[in-house]
Every structure is written in C-alpha cells, then in structure tokens.
Amino acid sequence: MRPALPEAGHLHRGLILSRDSVHIVGASLAGIRAAEALRREGFSGTIALIGDEPHRPYDRPPLSKQVLSGAWEPDRIGLTKPEKFDEIELDLRLSTRATAFDLASRSLTTSGPDGERTENVDGLLIATGARCRSLPGTDGMSGVHILRGLDDALALRADFDRGPKRVVVVGAGFIGAEVAATARGREIPVTMVEALPTPLGRVLGEQMGSVMADVHREHGVDLRTGVGVDSVNGGDRVESVTLSDGSLIEADVVVIGIGVIPNTEWLDGSGLEIDNGIVCDATMLAAPGVTAAGDVARWPNHRFDEVMRVEHWDNAIEQGVHAAKRLLVDDSAAQPFTPVPWFWSDQYDRKIQLAGRVRADDDLEIVEGSLEEHRFAALYGREGRLVGVLGFNRPRHVMQYKMMIQDGVSFADAVSAEI
Amino acid sequence: MKIVVDFDLCESNAICMQIAPDLFEVRDDDFLYVLNEEPGEDSRARVEECVQRCPKQAISIEG
Ligand SMILES: Cc1cc2nc3c(=O)[nH]c(=O)nc-3n(C[C@H](O)[C@H](O)[C@H](O)COP(=O)(O)OP(=O)(O)OC[C@H]3O[C@@H](n4cnc5c(N)ncnc54)[C@H](O)[C@@H]3O)c2cc1C
Ligand code: SF4
C-alpha cells in the first residue's frame, strides 16, 4: 500500500502520517465529504464508507421542503454524482451497520448483506449523525411520523397526498416549522403544538420567537404554545391528540419534531468517551487515529469558548473535511476546528438564516429592515462581542455579519457598521 | 475552467462569496454576480469548495 502523499496546501507542516486505510462510518453528508477530502489531500489507501441506509448518500434539507411538497423526486437529492464514487475509489458498503468498535484492539464489527464482519481499522472517522426522538406510546401507530431520512419523507408525503383533514405538528423547532410550512403550502390544515411560550424562544429570545409565531399564524397555522402533548390517541391509525391543557385535536396525521439523539449506542463500551455525542478534542480527534464529524460530534470550539454539538448542514461538511484531514497528520500539525456555525431554514416565503452562537439573554439589535415586514437582520451581542446574526430574507447581510463574527468585531462596531 | 451558476437554484445566501469573494458577490439587490467566470487553475480548489458548500447545489465547473 502506498503511503499518503500530501498534495493540497493544508498538510505541509508537521509529520504526515502514512495510513493504509480509513474506515468512515455513516454514509451521509459528513461521511461522503470526508471521503472526498481524503482523496483531495492525496490519500491513496483504501477508503471504506459504511452506512446502514440502503440509499447512496443524499441530501436531507430538501426532505422537509421540495421532497415533501412534491416538487422534487428523490433522484434530485443525491449528494455526489454516481461517476464520482468510482473516481474516488470508494469501498461503499450500503445497508451495513456498524455494531461495535473496540479502541484497544482497533476492531470494527459490522453487519450487512454479506453477514457479520470484524476487521482491524487504521484510521476511523465516525459520522453516524443523529436520529429523531419519538413520543412514547406512538410506536407502530400509522399516521404518526418523524422526519429524518428519505423513507420517512416519502411516507409522510404519501400521507399528505391522501389529503388529511388535519396535521398536528408536535414541536415548533426548525424541522417542525418547515413541515408546517410545507403542509400549509399544500393547503392542509395544521395545528402546531409547542411547549415553550414562543417557537424557538429559548434559543433566539422571546422577541424573535414572537416573530416566528406571527409568521406561522399569518399562514393559517393554528399555533398552540405553552402546552405539551398528553397523549396521542387511536388504534391502528392515529385519531386525535390530547394536549396538557385538556383540549382534544382531531388529526389523521401527526408529525413529531422534538429534537434528535446522536447515534452513539454502537460505541458503548468501545473505550471512546460518549457524552451527548462523541467527545472530541479541539481538533476533532476522539482518540488516536479516531475522529468524528457532523451531528454526532461534540468538541470545544475555541472561538466561542464553548463545547458544542452542531446539527447544521454546513457544519457537517466543514467538520467532515476537517476530521478527514486530521487523520492524516500528527498532533503537532493538527489545527483546532473553530467555525462560526451557520444554518438556514426555508419556511413559507421566508429564508431564515442564523450564524454564530446565540442565547435568549444576549443583547439584540435590529440593524436592517423591520420586524413588521418580516425582513430584517438582527445582531446578537454578549459581553461586548458580536456573537450571532439572525436574518429573515437577508442572506447577504447574514453572511457579511458572519464574517465580522469570524473577525472578532465588537457588538458596538457591528451595530454601527454600514454594510 | 468555467464557473456555471444555475440562477434558478441559487438563493443568494452568499456562502460562495464567503469562500471566494474575488469570484462571487451578492450585491444590494440580493442577486449573485459571478465576478470572474473563468478564473485560473489556482482557484480550482476554492471553486470546488464553493460547489460542495453551496446548499442549493447551484454551482458547477465546466472544464
Ligand atoms: C428533514 C431535515 C431538514 C433539514 N434541513 C436543514 C436546513 O435547512 N439547514 C441546515 O443547515 N440543516 C438542515 N438539516 C440538518 C442536516 O441535514 C444535518 O445536519 C446533516 O444531515 C448532518 O449530517 P451527518 O452526516 O452528520 O449525519 P446524518 O445526515 O444524520 O447521517 C448519519 C448517517 O449515518 C447512518 N448511521 C447511523 N448509525 C450507523 C451505524 N451504526 N452504522 C452505519 N451507519 C449508521 C445514518 O443512518 C445516516 O445515514 C436538516 C435535517 C433534516 C432531517
Ligand atoms: S452558495 Fe449557492 S445558493 Fe448561495 S449564493 Fe452562492 S451559488 Fe447562490
């Protein structure tokens, strides 16, 4: 086996490790981008990309948007052109689940169409993402959905196609909000139930949470805030939902959007540290020769002095690339991963974008547009620093303020900047 | 190398501008402008990063 040869600019400092192979577990966004990055860096060993879904890597954001609305068919959401898989010479193992890893012996056990297999790994990159939380007592009840994968999206779309009398969306986070928006776009009656006083208020602050609430109500969503779900009722098929305030809502479709859990169970007892995600150092290293990336990875982001796990699309790419490169260098050449997280969400005709790390009690200043028109950029400041920007239909501004966060601009300077 | 943007897909979120401000610019009118459609080979790595990180898969490279 040839050793890894550095090609692109990033690997010129420090020792370059020669590895025979890299195993990537999780064949989605972070995993495929990591595989591509290894080849770009000149890695010539074997790359195994192992994923438990039957599908080739595909893009999730369209699932709650164009796929659910019916505008796109699944063939449009592939993450990489089929030719590219040959070009980068991947040992792509679909429908194959990693069931165990042992750090001490560096052995990885998988189970797939060819049966069970245990092999030694050299470099290991973990990108097993996250799965949806479910509501107790809803297992196997038809009409109750979660939304994480393509099969979930197609099942929900099929229920939408039947013209439901009412959809109840449990949880007004970003995914729930997008499902509600897409359902309204198809003129399906929607009730959205949120335990907090305002949607996303705990993250974005009450003022921005109220804007979110207005947008939903203006589009005809029956939004119930400050209430929980007591029970989801029905036999084989869901019939209604009982809320904690005693009200009963008849519904033939229920979508649960109450957050995700990182997929780490297969690593229990592996010797890796797990704590709401795979615990990594600042360079995305979880153990010697083991890195993690995407929704499953937790690491200290020095830019924000915060240990975080980020469930954003762009992060999965950047972190996948970073974790891949990290496997090819020794400690002296390793770089910390210090991004300004960035996220977008499309709801109705609003393009919502959030950059940075915001908290409900941060200082808040509207710098562009107005809340009334639902077209604005709002800056978040903490201890005199610019830490975040939220935009409603203000993409350019969000990106420009994101660059200011990156440059460490003060909150006052950002607020007074003319852009 | 030629940069091709599918403007029906592009949503002007300026991710590309962040990566390569000398090649991409989202202006006040909120439209994306490609400042140099045929950059030199030394820009290829950055343009490829733009292709990958464009959330709408709106950018492609010809040649
Ligand atoms: C419906 C939806 C809409 C979204 N919209 C947006 C958006 O608008 N903007 C945004 O910024 N982000 C959005 N996101 C978030 C974004 O898609 C995720 O952050 C991204 O997919 C994370 O990529 P990942 O590779 O880390 O994990 P995942 O995409 O979760 O992939 C992990 C993969 O690993 C597999 N796996 C798990 N365990 C094992 C195992 N033991 N063995 C083998 N394989 C395993 C999983 O099946 C999965 O295929 C959305 C997500 C969803 C679900
Ligand atoms: S990153 Fe893509 S969608 Fe965003 S402005 Fe550039 S081309 Fe358009």
Side-chain angles (χ1 to χ4, degrees):
Chain A
M1 197 66 65
R2 282 172 293 151
L5 292 174
E7 218 173 46
H10 300 273
L11 293 178
H12 51 276
R13 284 187 297 131
L15 190 71
I16 310 302
L17 300 177
S18 69
R19 291 191 186 284
D20 289 342
S21 66
V22 172
H23 285 72
I24 302 175
V25 182
S28 181
L29 186 58
I32 184 71
R33 295 302 180 235
E36 290 164 350
L38 286 171
R39 288 294 183 235
R40 273 203 307 279
E41 293 294 324
F43 177 68
S44 57
T46 320
I47 303 175
L49 181 62
I50 300 163
D52 61 359
E53 293 186 77
H55 315 288
R56 284 179 173 239
Y58 60 87
D59 207 21
R60 290 179 206 276
L63 298 180
S64 48
K65 309 172 183 82
Q66 296 90 338
V67 173
L68 189 56
S69 74
W72 287 9
E73 288 309 316
D75 58 5
R76 280 194 66 168
I77 63 171
L79 275 174
T80 293
K81 295 197 186 82
E83 320 80 88
K84 185 93 185 193
F85 288 97
D86 299 333
E87 195 186 309
I88 59 177
E89 290 185 64
L90 273 187
D91 170 12
L92 180 64
R93 303 188 208 156
L94 299 175
S95 302
T96 304
R97 163 173 284 271
T99 51
F101 172 65
D102 180 54
L103 181 62
S105 60
R106 299 196 81 80
S107 60
L108 174 71
T109 306
T110 57
S111 166
D114 312 328
E116 183 149 301
R117 170 169 171 187
T118 297
E119 61 205 300
N120 273 323
V121 300
D122 184 350
L124 175 67
L125 194 152
I126 304 166
T128 43
R131 65 178 182 281
C132 294
R133 249 176 238 288
S134 65
L135 272 184
T138 58
D139 281 356
M141 194 186 278
S142 71
V144 180
H145 297 263
I146 47 132
L147 180 50
R148 182 75 197 176
L150 175 58
D151 300 338
D152 301 331
L154 294 178
L156 181 57
R157 181 166 93 178
D159 261 3
F160 278 11
D161 289 345
R162 289 188 193 103
K165 286 198 285 295
R166 178 162 297 272
V167 174
V168 171
V169 178
V170 182
F174 285 108
I175 302 288
E178 288 190 357
V179 169
T182 303
R184 291 303 300 137
R186 299 184 60 163
E187 292 177 10
I188 299 167
V190 174
T191 297
M192 185 153 60
V193 183
E194 170 57 54
L196 297 173
T198 61
L200 293 161
R202 193 175 287 163
V203 192
L204 303 177
E206 287 307 310
Q207 195 182 6
M208 292 300 137
S210 313
V211 177
M212 293 277 177
D214 288 348
V215 170
H216 289 302
R217 291 199 169 111
E218 274 166 24
H219 287 87
V221 173
D222 166 30
L223 176 66
R224 314 280 184 100
T225 55
V227 284
V229 168
D230 263 3
S231 61
V232 177
N233 320 310
D236 289 344
R237 176 138 201 127
V238 62
E239 285 160 13
S240 64
V241 175
T242 308
L243 304 187
S244 58
D245 61 6
S247 47
L248 184 84
I249 302 164
E250 283 184 23
D252 31 15
V253 176
V254 172
V255 185
I256 301 165
I258 53 173
V260 299
I261 309 166
N263 291 319
T264 56
E265 287 74 6
W266 67 281
L267 293 165
D268 287 345
S270 63
L272 294 175
E273 190 185 343
I274 308 293
D275 177 14
N276 179 19
I278 298 162
V279 178
C280 300
D281 72 5
T283 72
M284 302 317 303
L285 195 74
V290 181
T291 58
D295 286 13
V296 78
R298 173 178 290 280
W299 89 108
N301 181 339
H302 290 337
R303 185 186 301 279
F304 294 90
D305 287 328
E306 190 186 328
V307 180
M308 52 179 79
R309 190 171 64 74
V310 174
E311 298 164 3
H312 301 171
W313 188 91
D314 190 51
N315 180 68
I317 298 176
E318 256 198 296
Q319 210 167 39
V321 171
H322 196 97
K325 290 179 180 173
R326 180 67 185 90
L327 284 177
L328 301 180
V329 297
D330 75 353
D331 294 351
S332 68
Q335 301 287 325
F337 183 61
T338 59
V340 175
W342 173 84
F343 173 87
W344 86 96
S345 174
D346 300 340
Q347 301 172 21
Y348 314 100
D349 55 353
R350 297 296 98 172
K351 312 268 172 229
I352 301 166
Q353 296 183 313
L354 180 66
R357 288 301 275 187
V358 308
R359 293 182 196 153
D361 60 354
D362 286 338
D363 300 327
L364 188 69
E365 192 78 37
I366 312 298
V367 284
E368 278 292 329
S370 71
L371 299 185
E372 293 70 39
E373 359 161 50
H374 299 163
R375 181 164 191 266
F376 61 86
L379 301 186
Y380 290 74
R382 196 181 313 145
E383 291 162 10
R385 263 179 77 196
L386 175 68
V387 291
V389 51
L390 173 69
F392 270 57
N393 285 14
R394 286 287 186 188
R396 180 176 65 89
H397 291 86
V398 170
M399 212 41 73
Q400 279 172 336
Y401 287 109
K402 176 179 188 276
M403 292 187 221
M404 286 191 210
I405 301 172
Q406 223 145 301
D407 294 339
V409 169
S410 75
F411 187 51
D413 286 352
V415 168
S416 59
E418 292 288 334
I419 71 165
Chain B
M1 170 176 57
K2 186 165 190 291
I3 299 175
V4 181
V5 173
D6 182 339
F7 288 97
D8 289 336
L9 293 175
C10 168
E11 285 189 342
S12 302
N13 54 36
I15 275 279
C16 51
M17 176 174 92
Q18 184 206 335
I19 298 163
D22 53 323
L23 303 178
F24 299 95
E25 185 182 334
V26 175
R27 298 213 182 122
D28 279 343
D29 58 9
D30 275 341
F31 284 110
L32 171 70
Y33 294 82
V34 182
L35 303 178
N36 180 359
E37 286 189 343
E38 299 191 21
E41 274 307 304
D42 52 337
S43 294
R44 185 175 289 271
R46 282 185 312 143
V47 178
E48 275 175 1
E49 190 182 350
C50 294
V51 171
Q52 282 205 340
R53 281 180 61 196
C54 166
K56 305 296 160 177
Q57 304 199 28
I59 310 173
S60 52
I61 300 175
E62 277 176 11

